[in-house]
Structures are given as structure tokens and as C-alpha cells.
Amino acid sequence: MTELQRVKIALKTLISLGVAKNQEGVGKLLGYSNKSSFSQVLNGKVNMPVDFIDRLCDLNSAINREWIKSGNGNILEDTYIISKSYNEDSGYKGTDTEYIKNLRLPLLSAEAMIEYNAGNKELATSHTSNFLIPVFKGSDYLITVIGSSMYPKYSNGDIVACKHLPLTTFFQWNKVYVINTEQGILVKRICKSNNDDFVTIVSDNKDYDPFELPKSALLSIAIVTGVIRLE
């Protein structure tokens, strides 16, 4: 994961902590009166100012600047205690330490995702990096998008949050899912088929033709719940 990707995770975390309502709001707090100027920094189109990360972390002392700069540790400082109001909003009644642990999401490889969905969660997550991104609470793991079949919705290198679902789930037609098939892991839009035993697999990139897939060929499924976009 690049430093810029970690900055984007920190940005989403700040929003989830209530520092600002959206990306534009964070930009204004950092002194960017022009929305485009802030976006260019996040998209890597202009160099990040030397003090950018320090200013970002100054918006909330919970953000771990060492993690942003090096990847060591977690996005939130270990000493950070989630406020009582945050616990009440979430409905969670456990300790702060347990709450933080439950929000951490593993970044899985395709192989690890297969193990996770097969029920081998401990094995799948034993050698993975874990990230605390409160805005993705309710998700189970993160994976990296490979390829351009879902462009412009998702680009190669984007990180998506996923919620594991049982194979008997009721599909939300036209939503994006991560599916495990005999041909590997696919990030695709699932649409209704004329045949009840099939689903239609659709790519947002029009260079890729839709195709029919038997429901019986779905080895596991997860719905995409969020994205950290790599421009």
C-alpha cells in the first residue's frame, strides 16, 4: 500500500470520526479553498506538500502519522479511546479495546479471500495487514481490484471493502459483488437473468461483454460496501 493510499484511508477515518462531513470539508480545514486543488493532491497529480501529513494528523490527535508515513502500526493511535457517544451511536456495549479490534479489516489476497469465505478466517487473516476504517464498519475485509473490467466505477489498484454473504442470499440486482468462481475472483455487477438458475455478470467497462453464469458456479460471494480509490 502506498503512502497516498494510506492518506486516503486517514481521510475517510477523519470523516467517520466527525471531523468533517466529506472530503471537501477536510480540504477546507487544511486550507484548500479550491476543491480542485485538494483533489489534485489526493489524485497524485501534484506533489503532496511536505507538511501535508502533519497538517492532516493535526485535525485529530487519534490519527497515527507514523502509520501514514511508514505503514507501521494502525491508522488510529493505540492510546485512542473512542468516545462514549460513538459507542452509543454504534450500539456496541463492549470495551473500547474490543470495539476497535472489531472494526479492523484485513486486506486479503485472492487466495486468502477464498480461505476466508470457506470458513478458515483465522488462516486467511494470519499473515495480513489490518486497517481500522470506521466508515467501513459492518464490512468483513478489504481486497485490491485487479484489472480494468469495472472502470470507471473501480480502477486497477483500488481497494474495496466487502461484506461476506451466504450463497443463499437475496441478490440486490445491479449491485457490485466480489464472486469466487472456478476461474478465480471476479469483481462484477450482478444482474437478473431470464433463467432463474443463472445470473448475468456485467462489467462497467463496455469492452467486456456480459455473460451468463449458473448460480451453482458461485463458490462464494461478497457485496462491495465501499472503496478507497487510487487515481
Side-chain angles (χ1 to χ4, degrees), residues 113 116-119 121 138-141 162-167 178 219-223 225:
M113 178 192 161
Y116 186 101
N117 290 337
K121 297 182 180 180
S139 302
D140 293 311
Y141 52 79
C162 306
K163 173 66 177 176
H164 176 65
L165 298 171
L167 289 172
V178 179
L219 304 179
S220 68
I221 58 174
I223 191 168
T225 56

Side-chain angles (χ1 to χ4, degrees), residues 15-225:
I15 294 171
S16 70
L17 292 174
V19 171
K21 291 184 178 181
N22 49 38
Q23 177 177 302
E24 184 179 359
V26 174
K28 289 181 178 179
L29 291 174
L30 292 175
Y32 290 89
S33 57
N34 188 312
K35 179 180 178 181
S36 176
S37 298
F38 187 47
S39 295
Q40 286 182 333
V41 173
L42 296 178
N43 295 339
K45 294 181 179 179
V46 299
N47 291 331
M48 192 182 301
V50 176
D51 64 342
F52 184 88
I53 293 176
D54 289 332
R55 288 191 289 131
L56 189 70
C57 293
D58 286 343
L59 295 179
N60 191 301
S61 60
I63 301 297
N64 184 351
R65 71 189 68 213
E66 175 61 26
W67 177 81
I68 299 176
K69 293 179 178 180
S70 67
N72 296 325
N74 298 295
I75 177 60
L76 293 185
E77 294 281 4
D78 291 339
T79 57
Y80 174 61
I81 302 299
I82 296 177
S83 68
K84 181 181 178 182
S85 62
Y86 201 96
N87 278 323
E88 289 175 346
D89 289 343
S90 69
Y92 186 77
K93 303 303 181 183
T95 65
D96 292 323
T97 301
E98 290 171 344
Y99 185 65
I100 292 173
K101 182 178 180 181
N102 288 339
L103 286 178
R104 288 177 178 163
L105 299 176
L107 178 60
L108 302 183
S109 64
E111 294 77 11
M113 178 192 161
I114 293 172
E115 290 290 346
Y116 186 101
N117 290 337
N120 303 321
K121 297 182 180 180
E122 186 173 342
L123 175 63
T125 59
S126 60
H127 299 291
T128 62
S129 298
N130 292 277
F131 302 96
L132 202 162
I133 314 175
V135 74
F136 289 158
K137 66 180 179 180
S139 302
D140 293 311
Y141 52 79
L142 307 168
I143 68 163
T144 302
V145 175
I146 298 175
S148 60
S149 68
M150 287 302 292
Y151 182 82
K153 178 69 173 179
Y154 303 120
S155 300
N156 184 53
D158 285 353
I159 296 174
V160 293
C162 306
K163 173 66 177 176
H164 176 65
L165 298 171
L167 289 172
T168 55
T169 191
F170 176 81
F171 284 109
Q172 298 181 54
W173 301 124
N174 206 37
K175 292 287 187 179
V176 179
Y177 289 82
V178 179
I179 60 176
N180 177 23
T181 71
E182 292 182 352
Q183 296 185 34
I185 302 296
L186 303 175
V187 180
K188 299 288 184 181
R189 205 174 291 279
I190 294 184
C191 298
K192 185 176 177 61
S193 169
N194 292 327
N195 187 328
D196 289 340
D197 294 326
F198 286 70
V199 290
T200 303
I201 306 300
V202 179
S203 302
D204 280 13
N205 187 334
K206 301 308 178 184
D207 290 337
Y208 294 78
D209 294 330
F211 60 92
E212 299 289 297
L213 185 70
K215 292 180 180 178
S216 59
L218 297 172
L219 304 179
S220 68
I221 58 174
I223 191 168
V224 173
T225 56

